[in-house]
Structures are given as structure tokens and as C-alpha cells.
Amino acid sequence: MLKVIKFGGTSLASAEQFRKVAAIVREDKSRRYVVASAPGKRFSSDTKVTDLLLSCYRLHRVRENFDEPFSCIRSRFEEICAELEIPFAFGEDFDRFYQEIKNGATEEYIASRGEHFNAKILAEFLQFPFLDTAEGIVFDENGVLMEEKTNENLALLLKNHTRAVLPGFYGATEKGEVRTFSRGGSDITGSLVARAAKADLYENWTDVSGLLMADPRIVSSPKAIECVTYRELRELSYMGANVLHEDAIFPVRREGIPINIRNTNDTAATGTMIVENAEKSAGIVTGIAGKKGFGAIYIEKGMMNRELGFGRRVLEVLENRKISFEHLPSGIDTMTVVLNRGDLVGHENELIRELQMAVQPDRIHLVENLCLIAVVGRGMINSPGTAARLFGALAKEKINIRMIDQGSSEMNIIVALEEQDYEKALKAIYAEFVPEEEN
Ligand code: ASP
């Protein structure tokens, strides 16, 4: 058994958290490769080290003094080392780093140092070797990950080490320039390392006990999801449920390696397993997620169904404006294009005019302020009546459904509602599908 184990920023934010991490690693011998994030927030008003690093970059870019954020970063690392009673062994590296910023180091290089130094501290504390991901993770000149090359290089890097700590979030180009993933990218590093190590499990340790069935800011104490398939997760994260960086799924999924989301602050909780296939599901619905900020264009034209190329012409107008559509519910004589409202703002009228010219509709109008709610669950395929229950729950609350879209996978039903009904609808759907005693 081989596990790759990644710790997020809050799990490595202080010496106290480092001790929890070390206990987790030591408790299970199969936890062999450890991927570390930069120190995150210790309390809600705290600043992440990555944000402090980015402040240094921005201040220096406008020729302002960056000593304040820089010394905050230094003291955070020094404090962790002092409390863990290990030497702050890279004082000189830190002085050099200060000069590097002064000499115009790139934004990505500067941002990457949070992970770099934190992983060194963790390696020292665990007495594991430190392996630099700049030597394993390869980006092309445009900053795009070269996944196959990365897989080969990482496998080589790991080959001679049974255990190691690796910094998350960054890699380098073949010329050796450090590049980073987008924010939260240490999740991707963990996934790449798991793939290269041919791990049996990728454990992703964070500060929540897994993916929750609904947004806890709206539904009070929602249940954690025990097991979710990659496809369900994709649907839920598209709708805003985020516990993992979206791109972290692909490397492990390809190799059939499951991901286990765990809580560093509650090791007794088994968290959420993310798997390719799961036979049984705990209930009909795995999770409910939603987002505000959508708009829709309703297009109506008699005999639309017989008009060859109608849909293409509509989509071409959007494509020419570089607007992507989110959903396309349609009727015999109607077609609705659901879009992100942000893509519409400022050119609504032009867009309508162009569509009028392209397809001469009988009627066309724009609806703004929509939200979408997705009810996702692999258990839905074999459960007749799910849609009826969903619509019934909304009807009971007198919520008007503006649109319905059921994916062909029969794994999700998406409803579009007025934005003002969002919170009420989410609560009603949750109460309908999650049995009371489990709430
Ligand atoms: N430290 C980086 C961030 O704050 C990457 C990560 O934590 O995954 O986004």
C-alpha cells in the first residue's frame, strides 16, 4: 500500500498544526510522499503566506518598499521552526530570496517560495528527504503543464526515495524558470505525485471533514458526503462546491487512484472518498449545489424544429462574441440559451439584434437574475419520482421554476430559478432529500 498525502495551507499554518500533520504521517507507514502547501490562515483575519509573497512582488513592481510583508513571512517561518525546536536552517536562502525580489524575480517564482520553504521545514521535522518539484513538474514556455513529461520526471525523482516531502503549487520550464499552477494548485501537485508514484490512494488533508451535501452557509450543518464519483464531483464543483482544485482530478482519475478528502483537525472523521465507480449510494441524492449570476435568452419561432441549422446560427453569434453557453434547454418551437450574466453585461442589446438578424425569431427576450441549482446523484437513475419530489418541494415553497434541464447521464437535474429564491430553494431541496434524523 502506498499513499500520497497532501496537506493544505491551514493544516500547515502553525507549529501546532505541523505536530498534527506529523502525527498523521507517522501513524501510517504507507503515507510515504507528503506534498506541502504554504502556511495558510491561522484565524479568519490572518493572511496566507502566498498572499504576503504576492504583496512583496506587487510593492516592488511599483518601486515601493516590501520590507513589511517580507518580514511577516520570515517571522512566520521562524516562529514555526522555533516552536518545533528545529533550526531555521535556511536563513541565508532567505536573505538571498530578498535580493532576488529586489533584482526583479518573477511573480510566479516569488509566489512559489511559500511552498518551497514550508516543505523544507516539514522535511526537517519529519526527517524525510526534501525533493524539489521544480525538478519533476514541467511546464512549457506558456506556463502549460506538460503532463506526460512531468509523469516521467516525477517517477524518476521519486525512484530512489521511499519517503519524501515535496512542495506543492509549482514546477519549472525546461529552462529552469519556476512556474506555478493557479491558486489552490498544490492539490494538482498531489495528484501528479500520486500518479507518478502509482499510489493506491491520494489523501488530501484540509480543514473540513470532506465534501458537504450542501453549502453550509445556507443549510445548517449539512451532512458530509461519504462517497462521490468523479462525474458527480465534476457536476457539483461546476456549480460551486469546492473542496479540491478542479484540475486535480484528471491525473489520478486516469490511473484509477481514488482521492480521500480528510480533516487534519478531526482525524476520526473518515471524510469523502472520490472514486471512478461506486455501486451503492447512501441516498438518491449525493449533493446539491448551485450558483447565482446567470441570464438566459429565450428564442421562439414557429416550426423551428424543421429549420435546418437554426441552433448552429444561434451558437455562431455567441461564438463570434466569444461567449460560451452553459445550458441549452429547448422545446419544439423554443430554444433557451443560459449564459453567465457577466458575459452579457454591456452588450445585451447588440447580442439580441445579432440573434434577430441570424434567425429571425418570432419572439426573443432576455431574462436576467437567474440562479441554477443542480441536484446530483448516481442513485437517481434507478429512482423514479425524483423529479416529482424535487418539483414538489419547490412548489410547496411557492417557488417558480423558470427552466429545467436533466443531463443525459440522468445523474443530475438542474433547475433555473429567480435569484431571490436561491436560499429558500436550496433549504427546501435539502430537507426533501436528506432524511430528518440525518440532518
Ligand atoms: N499556496 C497556494 C495558494 O494559496 C497554493 C495552495 O495552497 O494550494 O493558492
Side-chain angles (χ1 to χ4, degrees), residues 87-160:
F88 179 68
F90 40 82
E92 272 177 33
D93 292 354
F94 230 76
D95 296 338
R96 203 173 320 119
F97 176 44
Y98 182 83
Q99 279 311 318
E100 284 169 340
I101 302 178
K102 285 222 133 168
N103 297 340
T106 63
E107 182 176 11
E108 290 177 60
Y109 175 77
I110 296 171
S112 74
R113 295 303 90 180
E115 271 66 16
H116 183 84
F117 291 121
N118 219 27
K120 282 195 163 166
I121 298 177
L122 185 61
E124 173 71 30
F125 190 51
L126 288 173
Q127 289 293 298
F128 279 18
F130 166 86
L131 296 180
D132 197 346
T133 30
E135 286 160 36
I137 295 181
V138 196
F139 287 87
D140 71 13
E141 293 302 310
N142 301 315
V144 179
L145 174 74
M146 296 169 75
E147 213 180 310
E148 292 315 308
K149 188 118 197 69
T150 293
N151 194 43
E152 283 165 31
N153 285 9
L154 273 179
L156 277 177
L157 193 66
L158 299 175
K159 207 173 83 184
N160 300 322

Side-chain angles (χ1 to χ4, degrees), residues 6-10 36-40 48-51 53-54 111-112 114-115 168-170 180-189 245:
K6 178 251 163 184
F7 291 94
T10 49
S37 281
K48 294 178 177 186
V49 162
T50 309
D51 288 317
L53 288 161
L54 290 168
S112 74
E115 271 66 16
F169 192 38
Y170 72 93
T180 58
F181 295 111
S182 56
R183 296 297 302 266
S186 299
D187 286 340
I188 311 172
T189 311
H245 192 295

